[in-house]
Amino acid sequence: MHIPDSFIPLAQAAVYWAIALVFIALSLRWAREEMKDEKVPLVAVLAAGIFAIQAVNVPIPWGTSGHMMGAALAAIVLGSPFAAVFVLTLVLIVQGVLFGDGGITVMGANIINMGVIGGFSGFYGYRALSRVAANPYASAFGAAWLSLFLAALACAVEMAVAGTFPLGLGLFSMGLYHAVIGIIEGAITTVALYLIYTARPDLLPRASGVAAE
């Protein structure tokens, strides 16, 4: 899902950067207001974990790849979609600048896909599912799967607009691969949420529905 440089024209990439910068600014405001000292280690662990799970890539036709994302987990555990934008932006900067995983000119698009779309769909998907499902872990599983699937489809649309590959085949390939990978994403999100609740329930926001139990 990490779009490389040259896959999107510079003018189109600049638009994504402009949108991403708005969300990055809002995520920094979240960090200033909400990231207390006791949350710093949790943010660091989440960032490291997300970096690790994203390193496992599955090649997808037309030069991109499929992998887990971790945005829903960050949003649910930290209690805000802007937390996911913050954590995913840090991860994507390190991956792009130090390891060449994802381009620099297209980093705005990658932040939108994985941080913004992944974080917001994961957070609000979890809240919506929690209203109909009695089990918060089932809600976390569904939200994590949905966040990965939607982010992958957004990536396919962006590259189709750029003329990199056809829309229909892109949606099919990215959707199919990430629908399968999303099962693992959902399982890891559920297990991580359970482990954090078991070890340090005080770190979870009551809005997560887990700490309140």
Side-chain angles (χ1 to χ4, degrees), residues 178-211:
H178 286 90
V180 176
I181 297 171
I183 297 172
I184 304 173
E185 170 104 11
I188 288 178
T189 300
T190 302
V191 170
L193 190 61
Y194 173 77
L195 291 176
I196 294 172
Y197 172 65
T198 302
R200 292 291 305 272
D202 55 301
L203 292 179
L204 292 172
R206 293 187 64 81
S208 69
V210 180

Short mmCIF file of all heavy atoms in Angstrom, two decimals, residues 178-211:
data_model
loop_
_atom_site.label_atom_id
_atom_site.label_comp_id
_atom_site.label_asym_id
_atom_site.label_seq_id
_atom_site.Cartn_x
_atom_site.Cartn_y
_atom_site.Cartn_z
N HIS A 178 -6.37 -7.17 0.29
CA HIS A 178 -6.51 -6.59 1.62
C HIS A 178 -7.74 -7.11 2.37
O HIS A 178 -7.79 -7.01 3.60
CB HIS A 178 -6.51 -5.07 1.52
CG HIS A 178 -5.14 -4.51 1.24
ND1 HIS A 178 -4.66 -4.32 -0.03
CD2 HIS A 178 -4.13 -4.17 2.10
CE1 HIS A 178 -3.41 -3.86 0.04
NE2 HIS A 178 -3.07 -3.75 1.31
N ALA A 179 -8.71 -7.64 1.64
CA ALA A 179 -9.82 -8.29 2.33
C ALA A 179 -9.33 -9.52 3.07
O ALA A 179 -9.79 -9.83 4.18
CB ALA A 179 -10.91 -8.68 1.32
N VAL A 180 -8.35 -10.22 2.48
CA VAL A 180 -7.77 -11.39 3.14
C VAL A 180 -6.82 -10.96 4.25
O VAL A 180 -6.87 -11.46 5.39
CB VAL A 180 -7.03 -12.27 2.10
CG1 VAL A 180 -6.33 -13.44 2.80
CG2 VAL A 180 -8.02 -12.78 1.05
N ILE A 181 -5.93 -10.00 3.93
CA ILE A 181 -4.98 -9.52 4.95
C ILE A 181 -5.73 -8.90 6.12
O ILE A 181 -5.29 -8.96 7.27
CB ILE A 181 -4.00 -8.50 4.32
CG1 ILE A 181 -3.17 -9.16 3.22
CG2 ILE A 181 -3.08 -7.90 5.38
CD1 ILE A 181 -2.34 -8.19 2.40
N GLY A 182 -6.89 -8.32 5.83
CA GLY A 182 -7.68 -7.69 6.89
C GLY A 182 -8.11 -8.64 7.98
O GLY A 182 -8.34 -8.23 9.12
N ILE A 183 -8.24 -9.92 7.65
CA ILE A 183 -8.58 -10.92 8.68
C ILE A 183 -7.45 -10.99 9.72
O ILE A 183 -7.70 -11.05 10.93
CB ILE A 183 -8.82 -12.29 8.03
CG1 ILE A 183 -10.03 -12.21 7.08
CG2 ILE A 183 -9.05 -13.36 9.09
CD1 ILE A 183 -10.25 -13.47 6.25
N ILE A 184 -6.21 -10.97 9.22
CA ILE A 184 -5.06 -10.98 10.15
C ILE A 184 -5.00 -9.66 10.92
O ILE A 184 -4.73 -9.63 12.12
CB ILE A 184 -3.75 -11.22 9.37
CG1 ILE A 184 -3.85 -12.51 8.55
CG2 ILE A 184 -2.56 -11.29 10.33
CD1 ILE A 184 -2.68 -12.74 7.62
N GLU A 185 -5.26 -8.56 10.20
CA GLU A 185 -5.27 -7.24 10.85
C GLU A 185 -6.30 -7.21 11.98
O GLU A 185 -6.02 -6.72 13.08
CB GLU A 185 -5.60 -6.17 9.82
CG GLU A 185 -5.87 -4.78 10.39
CD GLU A 185 -4.73 -3.82 10.19
OE1 GLU A 185 -3.80 -4.17 9.42
OE2 GLU A 185 -4.75 -2.74 10.79
N GLY A 186 -7.48 -7.75 11.71
CA GLY A 186 -8.52 -7.78 12.73
C GLY A 186 -8.12 -8.63 13.92
O GLY A 186 -8.35 -8.24 15.08
N ALA A 187 -7.51 -9.77 13.65
CA ALA A 187 -7.10 -10.66 14.74
C ALA A 187 -6.02 -10.01 15.60
O ALA A 187 -6.08 -10.06 16.84
CB ALA A 187 -6.59 -11.98 14.16
N ILE A 188 -5.03 -9.40 14.96
CA ILE A 188 -3.95 -8.75 15.72
C ILE A 188 -4.49 -7.57 16.53
O ILE A 188 -4.11 -7.37 17.69
CB ILE A 188 -2.83 -8.30 14.76
CG1 ILE A 188 -2.07 -9.52 14.24
CG2 ILE A 188 -1.88 -7.32 15.45
CD1 ILE A 188 -0.97 -9.20 13.26
N THR A 189 -5.40 -6.80 15.94
CA THR A 189 -6.00 -5.67 16.67
C THR A 189 -6.75 -6.17 17.90
O THR A 189 -6.64 -5.60 18.98
CB THR A 189 -6.96 -4.91 15.74
OG1 THR A 189 -6.23 -4.42 14.61
CG2 THR A 189 -7.61 -3.74 16.47
N THR A 190 -7.51 -7.23 17.73
CA THR A 190 -8.28 -7.79 18.84
C THR A 190 -7.37 -8.29 19.95
O THR A 190 -7.58 -8.00 21.14
CB THR A 190 -9.16 -8.95 18.34
OG1 THR A 190 -10.02 -8.46 17.31
CG2 THR A 190 -10.00 -9.53 19.46
N VAL A 191 -6.33 -9.03 19.57
CA VAL A 191 -5.40 -9.58 20.58
C VAL A 191 -4.66 -8.45 21.29
O VAL A 191 -4.51 -8.46 22.52
CB VAL A 191 -4.40 -10.54 19.90
CG1 VAL A 191 -3.30 -10.93 20.88
CG2 VAL A 191 -5.12 -11.79 19.40
N ALA A 192 -4.21 -7.45 20.53
CA ALA A 192 -3.47 -6.34 21.14
C ALA A 192 -4.36 -5.57 22.11
O ALA A 192 -3.93 -5.21 23.21
CB ALA A 192 -2.95 -5.41 20.05
N LEU A 193 -5.61 -5.35 21.71
CA LEU A 193 -6.54 -4.65 22.60
C LEU A 193 -6.77 -5.44 23.88
O LEU A 193 -6.79 -4.87 24.99
CB LEU A 193 -7.87 -4.43 21.86
CG LEU A 193 -8.90 -3.51 22.52
CD1 LEU A 193 -8.35 -2.11 22.70
CD2 LEU A 193 -10.19 -3.48 21.70
N TYR A 194 -6.91 -6.75 23.75
CA TYR A 194 -7.12 -7.60 24.93
C TYR A 194 -5.90 -7.58 25.85
O TYR A 194 -6.02 -7.48 27.07
CB TYR A 194 -7.42 -9.04 24.48
CG TYR A 194 -7.49 -10.02 25.63
CD1 TYR A 194 -8.62 -10.07 26.45
CD2 TYR A 194 -6.42 -10.86 25.91
CE1 TYR A 194 -8.67 -10.94 27.53
CE2 TYR A 194 -6.47 -11.74 26.98
CZ TYR A 194 -7.60 -11.78 27.78
OH TYR A 194 -7.64 -12.64 28.84
N LEU A 195 -4.70 -7.66 25.25
CA LEU A 195 -3.48 -7.68 26.06
C LEU A 195 -3.28 -6.36 26.80
O LEU A 195 -2.87 -6.34 27.97
CB LEU A 195 -2.27 -8.00 25.16
CG LEU A 195 -2.22 -9.42 24.59
CD1 LEU A 195 -1.04 -9.56 23.64
CD2 LEU A 195 -2.13 -10.45 25.70
N ILE A 196 -3.56 -5.26 26.11
CA ILE A 196 -3.41 -3.95 26.77
C ILE A 196 -4.42 -3.83 27.91
O ILE A 196 -4.10 -3.35 29.00
CB ILE A 196 -3.60 -2.81 25.75
CG1 ILE A 196 -2.46 -2.82 24.73
CG2 ILE A 196 -3.64 -1.45 26.46
CD1 ILE A 196 -2.66 -1.86 23.57
N TYR A 197 -5.66 -4.31 27.66
CA TYR A 197 -6.67 -4.25 28.71
C TYR A 197 -6.28 -5.12 29.89
O TYR A 197 -6.46 -4.76 31.06
CB TYR A 197 -8.03 -4.70 28.16
CG TYR A 197 -9.07 -4.85 29.24
CD1 TYR A 197 -9.51 -3.75 29.96
CD2 TYR A 197 -9.60 -6.11 29.54
CE1 TYR A 197 -10.46 -3.90 30.97
CE2 TYR A 197 -10.54 -6.25 30.54
CZ TYR A 197 -10.97 -5.15 31.25
OH TYR A 197 -11.89 -5.28 32.24
N THR A 198 -5.69 -6.28 29.60
CA THR A 198 -5.29 -7.19 30.67
C THR A 198 -4.14 -6.62 31.50
O THR A 198 -4.12 -6.73 32.73
CB THR A 198 -4.86 -8.55 30.07
OG1 THR A 198 -5.95 -9.09 29.32
CG2 THR A 198 -4.47 -9.53 31.16
N ALA A 199 -3.18 -5.99 30.82
CA ALA A 199 -1.98 -5.51 31.51
C ALA A 199 -2.18 -4.12 32.12
O ALA A 199 -1.79 -3.88 33.26
CB ALA A 199 -0.80 -5.48 30.54
N ARG A 200 -2.76 -3.21 31.36
CA ARG A 200 -2.91 -1.83 31.83
C ARG A 200 -4.25 -1.27 31.39
O ARG A 200 -4.32 -0.42 30.49
CB ARG A 200 -1.77 -0.96 31.27
CG ARG A 200 -0.39 -1.26 31.83
CD ARG A 200 -0.29 -0.86 33.30
NE ARG A 200 -0.65 0.53 33.52
CZ ARG A 200 0.22 1.55 33.43
NH1 ARG A 200 1.48 1.30 33.14
NH2 ARG A 200 -0.17 2.80 33.63
N PRO A 201 -5.33 -1.69 32.01
CA PRO A 201 -6.65 -1.18 31.60
C PRO A 201 -6.79 0.32 31.82
O PRO A 201 -7.61 0.97 31.17
CB PRO A 201 -7.61 -1.97 32.50
CG PRO A 201 -6.78 -2.42 33.65
CD PRO A 201 -5.42 -2.67 33.11
N ASP A 202 -5.99 0.87 32.72
CA ASP A 202 -6.06 2.30 33.00
C ASP A 202 -5.61 3.15 31.82
O ASP A 202 -5.92 4.35 31.75
CB ASP A 202 -5.20 2.64 34.22
CG ASP A 202 -3.75 2.18 34.04
OD1 ASP A 202 -3.54 0.96 33.84
OD2 ASP A 202 -2.85 3.04 34.08
N LEU A 203 -4.87 2.54 30.88
CA LEU A 203 -4.38 3.31 29.72
C LEU A 203 -5.45 3.46 28.64
O LEU A 203 -5.32 4.31 27.76
CB LEU A 203 -3.14 2.63 29.12
CG LEU A 203 -1.88 2.64 29.98
CD1 LEU A 203 -0.75 1.91 29.26
CD2 LEU A 203 -1.45 4.08 30.29
N LEU A 204 -6.47 2.62 28.70
CA LEU A 204 -7.50 2.66 27.66
C LEU A 204 -8.57 3.69 27.99
O LEU A 204 -9.01 3.79 29.13
CB LEU A 204 -8.15 1.28 27.51
CG LEU A 204 -7.25 0.18 26.96
CD1 LEU A 204 -7.96 -1.17 27.05
CD2 LEU A 204 -6.85 0.46 25.53
N PRO A 205 -9.00 4.47 27.00
CA PRO A 205 -10.07 5.43 27.24
C PRO A 205 -11.38 4.70 27.50
O PRO A 205 -11.64 3.64 26.93
CB PRO A 205 -10.13 6.23 25.93
CG PRO A 205 -9.60 5.30 24.90
CD PRO A 205 -8.56 4.47 25.60
N ARG A 206 -12.23 5.24 28.36
CA ARG A 206 -13.51 4.61 28.63
C ARG A 206 -14.36 4.52 27.37
O ARG A 206 -15.17 3.61 27.21
CB ARG A 206 -14.27 5.39 29.70
CG ARG A 206 -13.62 5.32 31.07
CD ARG A 206 -14.51 5.96 32.12
NE ARG A 206 -15.77 5.25 32.28
CZ ARG A 206 -15.91 4.15 33.01
NH1 ARG A 206 -14.87 3.64 33.64
NH2 ARG A 206 -17.10 3.58 33.14
N ALA A 207 -14.15 5.48 26.44
CA ALA A 207 -14.90 5.45 25.19
C ALA A 207 -14.59 4.23 24.35
O ALA A 207 -15.34 3.88 23.44
CB ALA A 207 -14.62 6.72 24.37
N SER A 208 -13.48 3.54 24.66
CA SER A 208 -13.14 2.34 23.89
C SER A 208 -14.13 1.22 24.14
O SER A 208 -14.24 0.30 23.35
CB SER A 208 -11.72 1.87 24.24
OG SER A 208 -11.69 1.36 25.56
N GLY A 209 -14.85 1.31 25.28
CA GLY A 209 -15.81 0.26 25.59
C GLY A 209 -15.19 -0.94 26.26
O GLY A 209 -15.89 -1.82 26.74
N VAL A 210 -13.87 -0.99 26.32
CA VAL A 210 -13.18 -2.10 26.95
C VAL A 210 -12.90 -1.78 28.41
O VAL A 210 -13.21 -2.55 29.30
CB VAL A 210 -11.85 -2.42 26.22
CG1 VAL A 210 -11.15 -3.58 26.89
CG2 VAL A 210 -12.15 -2.73 24.76
N ALA A 211 -12.35 -0.60 28.63
CA ALA A 211 -11.98 -0.22 29.99
C ALA A 211 -13.19 -0.07 30.88
O ALA A 211 -13.12 -0.19 32.09
CB ALA A 211 -11.20 1.09 29.97
#
